[in-house]
Amino acid sequence: VIATFLKHRNFDQAFPLMEDYIKLFPQDAFTMQTAMAKVWLQQERPKHTLRFLKTLDLASFDESQREVFKRLVETAKEQIASGVIEI
């Protein structure tokens, strides 16, 4: 269901389900967390992305997952540096 909502860009319907998934399956949260961050970056919401990523306990992820989060942080910072303004 989540994948369908994301595919059709129905983010308002997808995000609550993604948040529920993260709460119910914290051991599998990485996929949903990265998907949420990527959507926010596509929507040019870098500050929101950074606030979200700062709430994550990176120690609970493996090195390759931390690298993914690091790239997301870098992308968000690049957007901010390039002048992206969130609405």
Side-chain angles (χ1 to χ4, degrees):
V1 173
I2 293 170
T4 302
F5 284 143
L6 291 174
K7 181 179 178 181
H8 296 288
R9 305 184 64 78
N10 293 330
F11 303 124
D12 291 340
Q13 293 174 315
F15 275 41
L17 296 175
M18 295 169 83
E19 291 168 349
D20 288 344
Y21 183 94
I22 290 167
K23 290 175 188 169
L24 291 170
F25 306 102
Q27 69 279 7
D28 299 323
F30 174 76
T31 302
M32 292 297 155
Q33 291 165 328
T34 54
M36 292 169 77
K38 289 176 182 178
V39 167
W40 289 320
L41 290 172
Q42 289 171 356
Q43 294 176 332
E44 295 189 330
R45 298 181 65 196
K47 291 181 181 179
H48 187 85
T49 305
L50 290 176
R51 281 193 302 271
F52 172 73
L53 293 173
K54 286 181 182 179
T55 67
L56 304 180
D57 176 17
L58 295 183
S60 65
F61 299 102
D62 66 36
E63 185 62 31
S64 64
Q65 292 170 325
R66 285 192 294 272
E67 282 298 315
V68 171
F69 287 130
K70 182 180 175 183
R71 286 194 302 274
L72 292 169
V73 167
E74 289 171 0
T75 301
K77 288 181 177 180
E78 288 170 5
Q79 284 185 359
I80 292 168
S82 71
V84 169
I85 299 173
E86 293 186 42
I87 298 176

